Amino acid sequence: MSKVATKTTKSTKTQSEATSEFTVSEKLAQLDEQVEWFYGDDFSLDQALEKYQVAADLTKEIERDLSELKNQVEVIADFTKD
């Protein structure tokens, strides 16, 4: 099981719900761990698809989080112009 699921309290949470509790920095660290696994000695084709999907999901969440942060910064910038 990945670190993503260790922070959840309910096993019924989806991957997206589980990682939404993490900061962008924590998600980036998780993504780095997922990518590094592909270069490690423990690589196996049986696990590769699952690891790839976790990495892809994290990437989508990070992009969404960064987009939200960008919007917040733009709103603050617009607000401070006046």
mmCIF file of all heavy atoms in Angstrom, residues 5-47:
data_model
loop_
_atom_site.group_PDB
_atom_site.id
_atom_site.type_symbol
_atom_site.label_atom_id
_atom_site.label_comp_id
_atom_site.label_asym_id
_atom_site.label_seq_id
_atom_site.Cartn_x
_atom_site.Cartn_y
_atom_site.Cartn_z
ATOM 1 N N ALA A 5 -2.395 6.228 1.143
ATOM 2 C CA ALA A 5 -3.497 5.642 1.896
ATOM 3 C C ALA A 5 -3.246 5.647 3.396
ATOM 4 O O ALA A 5 -4.181 5.480 4.165
ATOM 5 C CB ALA A 5 -3.747 4.216 1.421
ATOM 6 N N THR A 6 -2.025 5.849 3.840
ATOM 7 C CA THR A 6 -1.744 5.774 5.261
ATOM 8 C C THR A 6 -2.283 6.963 6.036
ATOM 9 O O THR A 6 -2.475 6.869 7.229
ATOM 10 C CB THR A 6 -0.232 5.651 5.525
ATOM 11 O OG1 THR A 6 0.419 6.791 4.989
ATOM 12 C CG2 THR A 6 0.313 4.372 4.942
ATOM 13 N N LYS A 7 -2.545 8.067 5.378
ATOM 14 C CA LYS A 7 -3.045 9.248 6.087
ATOM 15 C C LYS A 7 -4.567 9.233 6.208
ATOM 16 O O LYS A 7 -5.145 10.041 6.903
ATOM 17 C CB LYS A 7 -2.565 10.516 5.373
ATOM 18 C CG LYS A 7 -2.687 11.750 6.234
ATOM 19 C CD LYS A 7 -1.916 12.905 5.670
ATOM 20 C CE LYS A 7 -1.983 14.086 6.615
ATOM 21 N NZ LYS A 7 -1.196 15.202 6.160
ATOM 22 N N THR A 8 -5.242 8.316 5.543
ATOM 23 C CA THR A 8 -6.692 8.272 5.596
ATOM 24 C C THR A 8 -7.156 7.490 6.815
ATOM 25 O O THR A 8 -6.449 6.635 7.329
ATOM 26 C CB THR A 8 -7.275 7.617 4.335
ATOM 27 O OG1 THR A 8 -6.822 6.269 4.278
ATOM 28 C CG2 THR A 8 -6.879 8.369 3.093
ATOM 29 N N THR A 9 -8.365 7.775 7.246
ATOM 30 C CA THR A 9 -8.919 7.067 8.381
ATOM 31 C C THR A 9 -9.957 6.049 7.955
ATOM 32 O O THR A 9 -10.294 5.167 8.712
ATOM 33 C CB THR A 9 -9.558 8.040 9.386
ATOM 34 O OG1 THR A 9 -10.523 8.836 8.705
ATOM 35 C CG2 THR A 9 -8.501 8.931 10.002
ATOM 36 N N LYS A 10 -10.474 6.172 6.748
ATOM 37 C CA LYS A 10 -11.460 5.235 6.245
ATOM 38 C C LYS A 10 -10.898 4.541 5.011
ATOM 39 O O LYS A 10 -10.367 5.188 4.126
ATOM 40 C CB LYS A 10 -12.753 5.953 5.860
ATOM 41 C CG LYS A 10 -13.481 6.569 7.022
ATOM 42 C CD LYS A 10 -14.761 7.207 6.553
ATOM 43 C CE LYS A 10 -15.511 7.844 7.715
ATOM 44 N NZ LYS A 10 -16.734 8.481 7.265
ATOM 45 N N SER A 11 -11.034 3.233 4.953
ATOM 46 C CA SER A 11 -10.505 2.501 3.812
ATOM 47 C C SER A 11 -11.377 2.685 2.578
ATOM 48 O O SER A 11 -10.980 2.320 1.484
ATOM 49 C CB SER A 11 -10.390 1.013 4.159
ATOM 50 O OG SER A 11 -11.659 0.505 4.486
ATOM 51 N N THR A 12 -12.548 3.270 2.732
ATOM 52 C CA THR A 12 -13.448 3.443 1.604
ATOM 53 C C THR A 12 -13.162 4.710 0.811
ATOM 54 O O THR A 12 -13.785 4.949 -0.200
ATOM 55 C CB THR A 12 -14.917 3.489 2.085
ATOM 56 O OG1 THR A 12 -15.055 4.545 3.035
ATOM 57 C CG2 THR A 12 -15.319 2.168 2.697
ATOM 58 N N LYS A 13 -12.217 5.512 1.259
ATOM 59 C CA LYS A 13 -11.889 6.738 0.540
ATOM 60 C C LYS A 13 -11.193 6.390 -0.768
ATOM 61 O O LYS A 13 -10.409 5.460 -0.846
ATOM 62 C CB LYS A 13 -10.966 7.627 1.360
ATOM 63 C CG LYS A 13 -11.650 8.317 2.508
ATOM 64 C CD LYS A 13 -10.726 9.303 3.161
ATOM 65 C CE LYS A 13 -11.440 10.051 4.258
ATOM 66 N NZ LYS A 13 -10.559 11.043 4.880
ATOM 67 N N THR A 14 -11.465 7.184 -1.791
ATOM 68 C CA THR A 14 -10.802 7.000 -3.073
ATOM 69 C C THR A 14 -9.409 7.604 -3.005
ATOM 70 O O THR A 14 -9.094 8.347 -2.076
ATOM 71 C CB THR A 14 -11.580 7.689 -4.212
ATOM 72 O OG1 THR A 14 -11.566 9.098 -3.987
ATOM 73 C CG2 THR A 14 -12.989 7.152 -4.318
ATOM 74 N N GLN A 15 -8.588 7.299 -3.999
ATOM 75 C CA GLN A 15 -7.240 7.859 -4.071
ATOM 76 C C GLN A 15 -7.291 9.379 -4.038
ATOM 77 O O GLN A 15 -6.533 10.020 -3.339
ATOM 78 C CB GLN A 15 -6.566 7.375 -5.357
ATOM 79 C CG GLN A 15 -5.165 7.872 -5.550
ATOM 80 C CD GLN A 15 -4.189 7.166 -4.653
ATOM 81 O OE1 GLN A 15 -4.433 6.058 -4.208
ATOM 82 N NE2 GLN A 15 -3.096 7.805 -4.367
ATOM 83 N N SER A 16 -8.196 9.966 -4.789
ATOM 84 C CA SER A 16 -8.313 11.414 -4.856
ATOM 85 C C SER A 16 -8.700 11.999 -3.501
ATOM 86 O O SER A 16 -8.153 13.012 -3.078
ATOM 87 C CB SER A 16 -9.344 11.805 -5.912
ATOM 88 O OG SER A 16 -9.492 13.186 -5.970
ATOM 89 N N GLU A 17 -9.648 11.388 -2.826
ATOM 90 C CA GLU A 17 -10.055 11.877 -1.514
ATOM 91 C C GLU A 17 -8.925 11.747 -0.512
ATOM 92 O O GLU A 17 -8.730 12.615 0.329
ATOM 93 C CB GLU A 17 -11.274 11.104 -1.008
ATOM 94 C CG GLU A 17 -12.529 11.364 -1.776
ATOM 95 C CD GLU A 17 -13.643 10.407 -1.400
ATOM 96 O OE1 GLU A 17 -13.366 9.257 -1.006
ATOM 97 O OE2 GLU A 17 -14.797 10.818 -1.506
ATOM 98 N N ALA A 18 -8.157 10.676 -0.619
ATOM 99 C CA ALA A 18 -7.076 10.441 0.324
ATOM 100 C C ALA A 18 -5.973 11.471 0.170
ATOM 101 O O ALA A 18 -5.449 11.987 1.152
ATOM 102 C CB ALA A 18 -6.500 9.038 0.130
ATOM 103 N N THR A 19 -5.609 11.798 -1.054
ATOM 104 C CA THR A 19 -4.503 12.729 -1.257
ATOM 105 C C THR A 19 -4.920 14.177 -1.117
ATOM 106 O O THR A 19 -4.067 15.048 -1.022
ATOM 107 C CB THR A 19 -3.850 12.509 -2.633
ATOM 108 O OG1 THR A 19 -4.841 12.651 -3.641
ATOM 109 C CG2 THR A 19 -3.164 11.172 -2.715
ATOM 110 N N SER A 20 -6.211 14.469 -1.090
ATOM 111 C CA SER A 20 -6.648 15.852 -0.951
ATOM 112 C C SER A 20 -6.288 16.426 0.418
ATOM 113 O O SER A 20 -6.302 17.629 0.603
ATOM 114 C CB SER A 20 -8.155 15.979 -1.208
ATOM 115 O OG SER A 20 -8.875 15.297 -0.213
ATOM 116 N N GLU A 21 -5.930 15.568 1.371
ATOM 117 C CA GLU A 21 -5.537 16.021 2.699
ATOM 118 C C GLU A 21 -4.091 16.510 2.726
ATOM 119 O O GLU A 21 -3.657 17.091 3.707
ATOM 120 C CB GLU A 21 -5.695 14.876 3.702
ATOM 121 C CG GLU A 21 -7.114 14.367 3.824
ATOM 122 C CD GLU A 21 -7.208 13.123 4.694
ATOM 123 O OE1 GLU A 21 -6.210 12.769 5.352
ATOM 124 O OE2 GLU A 21 -8.274 12.519 4.715
ATOM 125 N N PHE A 22 -3.339 16.283 1.667
ATOM 126 C CA PHE A 22 -1.929 16.624 1.617
ATOM 127 C C PHE A 22 -1.712 17.971 0.939
ATOM 128 O O PHE A 22 -2.506 18.398 0.110
ATOM 129 C CB PHE A 22 -1.148 15.551 0.847
ATOM 130 C CG PHE A 22 -1.092 14.227 1.542
ATOM 131 C CD1 PHE A 22 -1.978 13.215 1.214
ATOM 132 C CD2 PHE A 22 -0.147 13.975 2.522
ATOM 133 C CE1 PHE A 22 -1.929 11.989 1.847
ATOM 134 C CE2 PHE A 22 -0.086 12.751 3.160
ATOM 135 C CZ PHE A 22 -0.981 11.759 2.823
ATOM 136 N N THR A 23 -0.593 18.612 1.260
ATOM 137 C CA THR A 23 -0.217 19.855 0.595
ATOM 138 C C THR A 23 0.374 19.534 -0.773
ATOM 139 O O THR A 23 0.703 18.379 -1.059
ATOM 140 C CB THR A 23 0.829 20.624 1.420
ATOM 141 O OG1 THR A 23 2.041 19.862 1.443
ATOM 142 C CG2 THR A 23 0.341 20.910 2.834
ATOM 143 N N VAL A 24 0.547 20.558 -1.591
ATOM 144 C CA VAL A 24 1.159 20.365 -2.904
ATOM 145 C C VAL A 24 2.566 19.800 -2.733
ATOM 146 O O VAL A 24 2.970 18.891 -3.455
ATOM 147 C CB VAL A 24 1.179 21.688 -3.699
ATOM 148 C CG1 VAL A 24 1.967 21.534 -4.984
ATOM 149 C CG2 VAL A 24 -0.234 22.165 -3.998
ATOM 150 N N SER A 25 3.310 20.301 -1.775
ATOM 151 C CA SER A 25 4.671 19.809 -1.536
ATOM 152 C C SER A 25 4.679 18.331 -1.162
ATOM 153 O O SER A 25 5.525 17.568 -1.636
ATOM 154 C CB SER A 25 5.349 20.610 -0.430
ATOM 155 O OG SER A 25 5.515 21.945 -0.824
ATOM 156 N N GLU A 26 3.748 17.929 -0.332
ATOM 157 C CA GLU A 26 3.655 16.519 0.058
ATOM 158 C C GLU A 26 3.271 15.644 -1.140
ATOM 159 O O GLU A 26 3.797 14.550 -1.312
ATOM 160 C CB GLU A 26 2.642 16.342 1.188
ATOM 161 C CG GLU A 26 3.106 16.928 2.505
ATOM 162 C CD GLU A 26 2.012 16.973 3.560
ATOM 163 O OE1 GLU A 26 0.828 17.131 3.213
ATOM 164 O OE2 GLU A 26 2.371 16.865 4.751
ATOM 165 N N LYS A 27 2.365 16.159 -1.964
ATOM 166 C CA LYS A 27 1.972 15.408 -3.164
ATOM 167 C C LYS A 27 3.137 15.279 -4.134
ATOM 168 O O LYS A 27 3.326 14.228 -4.745
ATOM 169 C CB LYS A 27 0.781 16.080 -3.845
ATOM 170 C CG LYS A 27 -0.509 15.953 -3.060
ATOM 171 C CD LYS A 27 -1.627 16.694 -3.756
ATOM 172 C CE LYS A 27 -2.881 16.730 -2.912
ATOM 173 N NZ LYS A 27 -3.961 17.476 -3.565
ATOM 174 N N LEU A 28 3.930 16.347 -4.273
ATOM 175 C CA LEU A 28 5.110 16.282 -5.137
ATOM 176 C C LEU A 28 6.108 15.251 -4.620
ATOM 177 O O LEU A 28 6.715 14.515 -5.409
ATOM 178 C CB LEU A 28 5.766 17.657 -5.251
ATOM 179 C CG LEU A 28 5.044 18.656 -6.142
ATOM 180 C CD1 LEU A 28 5.640 20.051 -5.967
ATOM 181 C CD2 LEU A 28 5.103 18.222 -7.595
ATOM 182 N N ALA A 29 6.270 15.182 -3.314
ATOM 183 C CA ALA A 29 7.170 14.183 -2.726
ATOM 184 C C ALA A 29 6.645 12.772 -2.994
ATOM 185 O O ALA A 29 7.425 11.865 -3.311
ATOM 186 C CB ALA A 29 7.320 14.425 -1.227
ATOM 187 N N GLN A 30 5.333 12.588 -2.880
ATOM 188 C CA GLN A 30 4.734 11.282 -3.171
ATOM 189 C C GLN A 30 4.930 10.915 -4.640
ATOM 190 O O GLN A 30 5.252 9.766 -4.968
ATOM 191 C CB GLN A 30 3.248 11.281 -2.840
ATOM 192 C CG GLN A 30 2.952 11.356 -1.368
ATOM 193 C CD GLN A 30 1.464 11.495 -1.107
ATOM 194 O OE1 GLN A 30 0.655 11.467 -2.022
ATOM 195 N NE2 GLN A 30 1.110 11.644 0.155
ATOM 196 N N LEU A 31 4.747 11.894 -5.518
ATOM 197 C CA LEU A 31 4.936 11.655 -6.943
ATOM 198 C C LEU A 31 6.382 11.268 -7.221
ATOM 199 O O LEU A 31 6.653 10.334 -7.988
ATOM 200 C CB LEU A 31 4.541 12.896 -7.750
ATOM 201 C CG LEU A 31 4.704 12.801 -9.262
ATOM 202 C CD1 LEU A 31 3.875 11.652 -9.833
ATOM 203 C CD2 LEU A 31 4.311 14.117 -9.915
ATOM 204 N N ASP A 32 7.310 11.953 -6.587
ATOM 205 C CA ASP A 32 8.723 11.633 -6.755
ATOM 206 C C ASP A 32 9.011 10.200 -6.316
ATOM 207 O O ASP A 32 9.741 9.470 -6.994
ATOM 208 C CB ASP A 32 9.580 12.624 -5.962
ATOM 209 C CG ASP A 32 11.054 12.450 -6.234
ATOM 210 O OD1 ASP A 32 11.442 12.378 -7.418
ATOM 211 O OD2 ASP A 32 11.829 12.379 -5.260
ATOM 212 N N GLU A 33 8.415 9.781 -5.208
ATOM 213 C CA GLU A 33 8.588 8.399 -4.740
ATOM 214 C C GLU A 33 8.052 7.402 -5.760
ATOM 215 O O GLU A 33 8.672 6.355 -6.002
ATOM 216 C CB GLU A 33 7.881 8.189 -3.400
ATOM 217 C CG GLU A 33 8.550 8.842 -2.232
ATOM 218 C CD GLU A 33 7.775 8.643 -0.942
ATOM 219 O OE1 GLU A 33 6.957 7.695 -0.860
ATOM 220 O OE2 GLU A 33 7.981 9.439 -0.010
ATOM 221 N N GLN A 34 6.888 7.716 -6.327
ATOM 222 C CA GLN A 34 6.297 6.822 -7.330
ATOM 223 C C GLN A 34 7.204 6.709 -8.555
ATOM 224 O O GLN A 34 7.434 5.615 -9.064
ATOM 225 C CB GLN A 34 4.910 7.320 -7.751
ATOM 226 C CG GLN A 34 3.868 7.265 -6.660
ATOM 227 C CD GLN A 34 3.569 5.853 -6.208
ATOM 228 O OE1 GLN A 34 3.490 4.929 -6.997
ATOM 229 N NE2 GLN A 34 3.395 5.692 -4.911
ATOM 230 N N VAL A 35 7.725 7.827 -9.019
ATOM 231 C CA VAL A 35 8.588 7.826 -10.205
ATOM 232 C C VAL A 35 9.897 7.106 -9.909
ATOM 233 O O VAL A 35 10.378 6.307 -10.726
ATOM 234 C CB VAL A 35 8.832 9.273 -10.701
ATOM 235 C CG1 VAL A 35 9.895 9.310 -11.787
ATOM 236 C CG2 VAL A 35 7.526 9.883 -11.197
ATOM 237 N N GLU A 36 10.477 7.355 -8.757
ATOM 238 C CA GLU A 36 11.739 6.708 -8.389
ATOM 239 C C GLU A 36 11.599 5.190 -8.345
ATOM 240 O O GLU A 36 12.553 4.467 -8.640
ATOM 241 C CB GLU A 36 12.236 7.228 -7.037
ATOM 242 C CG GLU A 36 12.823 8.617 -7.106
ATOM 243 C CD GLU A 36 14.044 8.708 -7.999
ATOM 244 O OE1 GLU A 36 14.910 7.810 -7.942
ATOM 245 O OE2 GLU A 36 14.118 9.672 -8.774
ATOM 246 N N TRP A 37 10.431 4.690 -7.983
ATOM 247 C CA TRP A 37 10.208 3.247 -7.932
ATOM 248 C C TRP A 37 10.504 2.608 -9.282
ATOM 249 O O TRP A 37 11.057 1.515 -9.356
ATOM 250 C CB TRP A 37 8.761 2.948 -7.499
ATOM 251 C CG TRP A 37 8.466 1.490 -7.500
ATOM 252 C CD1 TRP A 37 8.702 0.607 -6.480
ATOM 253 C CD2 TRP A 37 7.890 0.732 -8.560
ATOM 254 N NE1 TRP A 37 8.308 -0.649 -6.854
ATOM 255 C CE2 TRP A 37 7.801 -0.599 -8.135
ATOM 256 C CE3 TRP A 37 7.444 1.049 -9.833
ATOM 257 C CZ2 TRP A 37 7.291 -1.607 -8.928
ATOM 258 C CZ3 TRP A 37 6.931 0.048 -10.632
ATOM 259 C CH2 TRP A 37 6.857 -1.269 -10.181
ATOM 260 N N PHE A 38 10.164 3.294 -10.364
ATOM 261 C CA PHE A 38 10.382 2.752 -11.703
ATOM 262 C C PHE A 38 11.872 2.575 -12.007
ATOM 263 O O PHE A 38 12.240 1.775 -12.850
ATOM 264 C CB PHE A 38 9.733 3.645 -12.773
ATOM 265 C CG PHE A 38 8.245 3.475 -12.843
ATOM 266 C CD1 PHE A 38 7.405 4.268 -12.084
ATOM 267 C CD2 PHE A 38 7.679 2.507 -13.667
ATOM 268 C CE1 PHE A 38 6.029 4.102 -12.141
ATOM 269 C CE2 PHE A 38 6.307 2.335 -13.734
ATOM 270 C CZ PHE A 38 5.482 3.135 -12.969
ATOM 271 N N TYR A 39 12.730 3.328 -11.345
ATOM 272 C CA TYR A 39 14.169 3.239 -11.564
ATOM 273 C C TYR A 39 14.849 2.301 -10.565
ATOM 274 O O TYR A 39 16.041 2.031 -10.694
ATOM 275 C CB TYR A 39 14.806 4.628 -11.468
ATOM 276 C CG TYR A 39 14.330 5.556 -12.552
ATOM 277 C CD1 TYR A 39 13.386 6.544 -12.282
ATOM 278 C CD2 TYR A 39 14.809 5.443 -13.848
ATOM 279 C CE1 TYR A 39 12.948 7.403 -13.283
ATOM 280 C CE2 TYR A 39 14.368 6.282 -14.857
ATOM 281 C CZ TYR A 39 13.439 7.262 -14.557
ATOM 282 O OH TYR A 39 12.999 8.104 -15.546
ATOM 283 N N GLY A 40 14.115 1.823 -9.591
ATOM 284 C CA GLY A 40 14.698 1.005 -8.534
ATOM 285 C C GLY A 40 14.828 -0.458 -8.895
ATOM 286 O O GLY A 40 14.357 -0.932 -9.939
ATOM 287 N N ASP A 41 15.446 -1.184 -8.003
ATOM 288 C CA ASP A 41 15.651 -2.619 -8.177
ATOM 289 C C ASP A 41 14.383 -3.426 -7.945
ATOM 290 O O ASP A 41 14.308 -4.588 -8.333
ATOM 291 C CB ASP A 41 16.735 -3.112 -7.217
ATOM 292 C CG ASP A 41 18.099 -2.514 -7.537
ATOM 293 O OD1 ASP A 41 18.330 -2.174 -8.715
ATOM 294 O OD2 ASP A 41 18.920 -2.396 -6.601
ATOM 295 N N ASP A 42 13.382 -2.831 -7.301
ATOM 296 C CA ASP A 42 12.137 -3.534 -6.981
ATOM 297 C C ASP A 42 11.118 -3.484 -8.112
ATOM 298 O O ASP A 42 9.983 -3.931 -7.946
ATOM 299 C CB ASP A 42 11.495 -2.937 -5.721
ATOM 300 C CG ASP A 42 12.343 -3.155 -4.488
ATOM 301 O OD1 ASP A 42 13.125 -4.119 -4.468
ATOM 302 O OD2 ASP A 42 12.223 -2.352 -3.544
ATOM 303 N N PHE A 43 11.492 -2.944 -9.256
ATOM 304 C CA PHE A 43 10.567 -2.806 -10.374
ATOM 305 C C PHE A 43 10.031 -4.166 -10.800
ATOM 306 O O PHE A 43 10.767 -5.130 -10.944
ATOM 307 C CB PHE A 43 11.263 -2.142 -11.568
ATOM 308 C CG PHE A 43 10.361 -1.989 -12.765
ATOM 309 C CD1 PHE A 43 9.529 -0.902 -12.873
ATOM 310 C CD2 PHE A 43 10.332 -2.949 -13.766
ATOM 311 C CE1 PHE A 43 8.687 -0.748 -13.966
ATOM 312 C CE2 PHE A 43 9.495 -2.812 -14.857
ATOM 313 C CZ PHE A 43 8.677 -1.712 -14.963
ATOM 314 N N SER A 44 8.702 -4.220 -10.972
ATOM 315 C CA SER A 44 8.076 -5.420 -11.537
ATOM 316 C C SER A 44 6.924 -4.985 -12.429
ATOM 317 O O SER A 44 6.235 -4.009 -12.136
ATOM 318 C CB SER A 44 7.574 -6.355 -10.439
ATOM 319 O OG SER A 44 6.382 -5.861 -9.867
ATOM 320 N N LEU A 45 6.757 -5.694 -13.518
ATOM 321 C CA LEU A 45 5.673 -5.356 -14.446
ATOM 322 C C LEU A 45 4.308 -5.508 -13.802
ATOM 323 O O LEU A 45 3.380 -4.786 -14.141
ATOM 324 C CB LEU A 45 5.769 -6.230 -15.695
ATOM 325 C CG LEU A 45 6.927 -5.904 -16.626
ATOM 326 C CD1 LEU A 45 6.969 -6.900 -17.777
ATOM 327 C CD2 LEU A 45 6.813 -4.490 -17.161
ATOM 328 N N ASP A 46 4.204 -6.435 -12.861
ATOM 329 C CA ASP A 46 2.918 -6.655 -12.193
ATOM 330 C C ASP A 46 2.450 -5.419 -11.429
ATOM 331 O O ASP A 46 1.272 -5.119 -11.372
ATOM 332 C CB ASP A 46 3.009 -7.839 -11.222
ATOM 333 C CG ASP A 46 3.267 -9.152 -11.930
ATOM 334 O OD1 ASP A 46 2.889 -9.280 -13.118
ATOM 335 O OD2 ASP A 46 3.844 -10.054 -11.298
ATOM 336 N N GLN A 47 3.377 -4.689 -10.859
ATOM 337 C CA GLN A 47 3.034 -3.499 -10.077
ATOM 338 C C GLN A 47 3.098 -2.211 -10.887
ATOM 339 O O GLN A 47 2.613 -1.176 -10.445
ATOM 340 C CB GLN A 47 3.971 -3.365 -8.886
ATOM 341 C CG GLN A 47 3.803 -4.434 -7.842
ATOM 342 C CD GLN A 47 4.768 -4.224 -6.690
ATOM 343 O OE1 GLN A 47 5.868 -3.705 -6.870
ATOM 344 N NE2 GLN A 47 4.353 -4.616 -5.511
#
